[in-house]
């Protein structure tokens, strides 16, 4: 893109074109971090669109359980090169008509893009306790799957497949649905996506109790 090319033109004079190009290649991101921090465990870049950061955490947990590493860094990054240029709105597509994302709101009409980065440090719980680390949360279980063709379209999730995934992770974590009081959801703020996500949660958390769990999305 134009940002990488403009920065590359200045860097290449100092580093050389090949070395400079590596700084802007996403495929080198994790291995370059490992090189700089002298990390010797698995270093891989994951790309699963909206679920990338959570899949990265899932894989990091597996690496910890398999003994491939003692500490894992997992997260996601998204960088928009549009600046303040906005975007082209198309009726019926995923982007919001007014630049606002209103997840689970009656006024929700679409999502918006943005830039950001988030990374978490993961360790086995017993090791974190022994090292007296400040523990923000505990990952009890994680599961990943794919809809295949059992959905209304490529860009829309399947209620049944999503519900089965949630049920599976509840089973593996040995957590009772009624003990959960909040869920941080995907919450795209789209007319199609939000109702499907809510319906899947209703299927997975179906008990005799009502009004015990809130949902939201930082979007």
């Amino acid at each position: 893109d134009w940002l990488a090319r403009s920065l590359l033109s200045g860097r290449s004079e100092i580093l050389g074109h090949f070395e400079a190009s590596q700084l802007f290649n996403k495929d080198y991101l994790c291995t370059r971090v490992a090189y700089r921090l002298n990390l010797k465990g698995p270093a891989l870049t994951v790309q699963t669109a909206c679920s990338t950061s959570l899949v990265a955490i899932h894989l990091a947990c597996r690496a910890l359980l398999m003994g491939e590493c003692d500490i894992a860094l997992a997260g996601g990054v998204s960088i928009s090169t549009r600046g303040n240029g906005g975007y082209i709105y198309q009726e019926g597509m995923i982007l919001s008509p007014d630049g606002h994302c209103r997840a689970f709101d009656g006024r929700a009409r679409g999502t918006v893009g943005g830039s950001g980065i988030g990374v978490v440090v993961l360790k086995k719980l017993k090791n974190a306790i022994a090292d007296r680390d400040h523990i923000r949360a505990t990952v009890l279980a994680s599961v990943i799957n794919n809809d295949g063709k059992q959905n209304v379209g490529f860009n829309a999730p399947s209620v049944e497949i999503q519900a089965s995934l949630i049920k599976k992770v509840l089973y593996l974590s040995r957590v009772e649905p009624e003990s959960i009081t909040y869920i941080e959801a995907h919450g795209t703020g789209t007319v199609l996506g939000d109702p499907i996500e809510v319906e899947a949660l209703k299927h997975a958390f179906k008990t005799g109790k009502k009004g015990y769990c809130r949902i939201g999305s930082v979007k």
Side-chain angles (χ1 to χ4, degrees):
D1 55 43
W2 69 269
L3 177 60
R5 289 197 301 271
S6 61
L7 293 173
L8 188 59
S9 61
R11 290 277 186 170
S12 60
E13 296 178 2
I14 302 172
L15 301 176
H17 183 79
F18 177 73
E19 290 80 2
S21 67
Q22 289 183 326
L23 297 176
F24 305 101
N25 190 325
K26 68 181 188 307
D27 296 328
Y28 291 108
L29 176 61
C30 292
T31 48
R32 181 165 290 277
V33 171
Y35 171 72
R36 291 294 183 181
L37 299 181
N38 193 30
L39 305 178
K40 299 180 176 66
L44 58 145
T45 302
V46 180
Q47 176 54 277
T48 61
C50 302
S51 62
T52 297
S53 58
L54 290 177
V55 172
I57 291 173
H58 171 83
L59 296 176
C61 289
R62 290 294 181 271
L64 287 166
L65 293 173
M66 293 298 293
E68 295 177 328
C69 59
D70 299 318
I71 302 175
L73 303 178
V77 57
S78 177
I79 300 176
S80 173
T81 59
R82 289 193 302 264
N84 297 321
Y87 53 82
I88 298 175
Y89 169 72
Q90 289 180 284
E91 184 70 32
M93 299 303 288
I94 191 173
L95 295 176
S96 169
D98 60 4
H100 293 280
C101 181
R102 303 178 177 89
F104 307 117
D105 191 295
R107 300 172 296 164
R109 292 295 180 272
T111 192
V112 294
S115 298
I117 181 171
V119 178
V120 294
V121 179
L122 300 167
K123 298 171 73 172
K124 288 184 178 180
L125 181 59
K126 63 180 182 180
N127 294 344
I129 293 173
D131 294 338
R132 297 183 179 181
D133 292 326
H134 183 79
I135 301 172
R136 294 281 185 178
T138 304
V139 179
L140 300 179
S142 65
V143 180
I144 56 177
N145 72 353
N146 200 279
D147 293 334
K149 292 189 69 175
Q150 297 183 36
N151 49 13
V152 297
F154 177 73
N155 294 316
S158 163
V159 171
E160 292 76 17
I161 300 298
Q162 194 169 108
S164 67
L165 178 73
I166 299 169
K167 289 178 180 179
K168 186 178 294 185
V169 79
L170 285 171
Y171 172 78
L172 292 175
S173 61
R174 299 179 182 179
V175 171
E176 292 296 327
E178 292 184 6
S179 68
I180 298 175
T181 58
Y182 176 76
I183 294 174
E184 176 64 25
H186 185 35
T188 56
T190 59
V191 176
L192 179 63
D194 283 5
I196 290 177
E197 187 169 15
V198 170
E199 193 64 26
L201 289 169
K202 286 167 61 179
H203 277 62
F205 282 77
K206 189 175 183 180
T207 67
K209 189 177 180 180
K210 294 184 178 181
Y212 62 90
C213 185
R214 296 173 174 82
I215 62 172
S217 175
V218 293
K219 288 184 177 63

